[in-house]
Amino acid sequence: MFKNKKIQEKMIYCFVSVFFWGMLAHGYALFQNSFSHDSLRRFFADNVEEEFVISLGRIFQPVYRAFIRGQITVPWLIGVLSIFWCGLLIYVIVNFFEIESKITIFFMSGIMMASYTAMAWCATYIFLLDTIFFGVLSAAISAYLWRKTKNGFIWGIPFVVIALGIYQSNISIVITMIMLVSFVDLLKGNSHWDIIKKGGYAIIMLISGGVIYGVTLKIIWSVMSISPEDGYNGLTNMYSIGESLLLRIKQTYMGVFFALLNPVSIWPKFLLIGIIFALGIVTFILIIRLMKRNKNKLEKQVLIHPPPKGGGLLRTTC
């Protein structure tokens, strides 16, 4: 596979792009030991810490630390591993979506490595940064195998399990990748039946991975005599927050609306809102043009519905 020069060049470019953005965004944290927030009390992952994350359902985080990184928070090592996992992640994603443009790959790397989420992880949860990137990579690999290999929905199941065992919300990444590539297939004019059939296989993969993860979790809790954490981030608290399904859907859309009107940045608020507004107009125009170009009613429905409904699905389920 890697004997192909084009493949080698693409992989190297992915790693170089991720390294550039990683150093630019996180260099301050990777070359010093001034920890903050939760990182202050998790410098060393002792048995108490490992049992705690297992009680949260993140059963593979201790396994990752035991076999790959170790229990001590070493910023430069975490940085090396994070960049490595993220480089592989970008490579998997660009092949999943069949992206060849180097400028697109470059800015995708920036979005992945310098996003608000990645910045927050590095600033306050650096002890988990590489672990999180490994979990996201596992989620992306499951979608890639489903898409690109024969019987891939079967080979993707173990990676769904790993992704869930690192951080349960990683399942949203698998769902999003599947949803987006199905969207692209419809726009390309691929057979609707083939898309539906592939979607069915994806559902089988996701449900199977979830069941195996759940059974594994129960066994580990039982063997280690660990009770599930009942705090705000525990699995037992998922549906005890007192919110109805309709309220969660409402919060999904209202949350996006208010976030767009109240961007968090050092830049002037009016400038950011102006940029967001301009991008919204451009996006709307492009969607209208695509709808006029595609006479198929189903494709027009797909153009309108996936972003809000897919976001609603992820918000209400994950």
Side-chain angles (χ1 to χ4, degrees), residues 10-299:
K10 182 186 281 189
M11 177 169 280
I12 290 171
Y13 189 77
C14 289
F15 277 105
V16 170
S17 298
V18 167
F19 179 80
F20 170 81
W21 289 107
M23 290 298 101
L24 190 65
H26 309 302
Y28 76 94
L30 303 181
F31 296 101
Q32 51 87 28
N33 294 316
S34 298
F35 302 120
S36 63
H37 199 54
D38 278 15
S39 298
L40 285 169
R41 56 191 179 91
R42 288 187 168 91
F43 173 73
F44 178 76
D46 57 12
N47 290 336
V48 174
E49 168 65 14
E50 302 294 39
E51 289 183 6
F52 173 68
V53 296
I54 290 174
S55 72
L56 293 173
R58 304 167 192 172
I59 51 179
F60 293 132
Q61 286 189 15
V63 177
Y64 173 88
R65 280 191 282 266
F67 288 96
I68 296 179
R69 195 197 77 199
Q71 294 173 294
I72 299 177
T73 299
V74 183
W76 70 264
L77 176 58
I78 291 173
V80 169
L81 289 169
S82 297
I83 289 171
F84 178 72
W85 299 135
C86 191
L88 287 177
L89 171 63
I90 292 297
Y91 182 74
V92 169
I93 291 175
V94 299
N95 281 285
F96 180 80
F97 290 106
E98 300 177 355
I99 296 170
E100 298 296 334
S101 168
K102 286 190 174 181
I103 191 68
T104 301
I105 294 172
F106 179 74
F107 283 110
M108 279 181 61
S109 301
I111 291 171
M112 187 65 68
M113 204 63 179
S115 66
Y116 182 83
T117 303
M119 296 289 286
W121 276 111
C122 191
T124 57
Y125 298 94
I126 192 171
F127 64 98
L128 281 177
L129 187 65
D130 58 319
T131 314
I132 295 301
F133 272 120
F134 179 75
V136 175
L137 173 62
S138 300
I141 289 175
S142 70
Y144 177 87
L145 292 173
W146 160 80
R147 171 79 171 176
K148 297 291 187 178
T149 63
K150 185 179 180 180
N151 297 323
F153 72 100
I154 296 176
W155 312 126
I157 291 173
F159 290 94
V160 172
V161 177
I162 294 171
L164 286 167
I166 293 292
Y167 207 79
Q168 293 91 340
S169 60
N170 284 332
I171 194 68
S172 64
I173 295 166
V174 188
I175 296 172
T176 301
M177 290 180 67
I178 292 169
M179 182 181 71
L180 289 177
V181 82
S182 299
F183 179 32
V184 171
D185 283 345
L186 275 173
L187 293 179
K188 287 181 177 178
N190 293 355
S191 167
H192 297 154
W193 170 245
D194 286 343
I195 295 170
I196 292 171
K197 185 169 67 172
K198 287 284 288 184
Y201 287 139
I203 292 172
I204 293 173
M205 178 180 74
L206 291 165
I207 292 176
S208 300
V211 169
I212 294 172
Y213 163 73
V215 171
T216 305
L217 178 62
K218 289 288 187 179
I219 292 173
I220 291 175
W221 279 348
S222 177
V223 170
M224 297 184 67
S225 300
I226 294 176
S227 299
E229 173 64 29
D230 60 358
Y232 77 95
N233 56 351
L235 292 177
T236 58
N237 197 41
M238 288 178 64
Y239 299 104
S240 62
I241 52 180
E243 296 178 357
S244 68
L245 182 61
L246 290 177
L247 178 59
R248 289 178 68 81
I249 293 174
K250 177 184 175 182
Q251 289 176 337
T252 298
Y253 295 99
M254 295 302 293
V256 172
F257 178 75
F258 285 112
L260 290 175
L261 292 180
N262 296 281
V264 179
S265 174
I266 61 172
W267 297 99
K269 184 176 178 179
F270 75 90
L271 177 62
L272 291 173
I273 292 177
I275 293 173
I276 292 170
F277 183 71
L279 288 173
I281 292 175
V282 171
T283 302
F284 179 76
I285 292 172
L286 289 174
I287 290 176
I288 295 299
R289 290 183 62 182
L290 283 171
M291 288 177 67
K292 288 182 178 180
R293 188 184 305 170
N294 293 281
K295 297 181 180 180
N296 188 296
K297 289 185 179 179
L298 178 60
E299 290 182 0

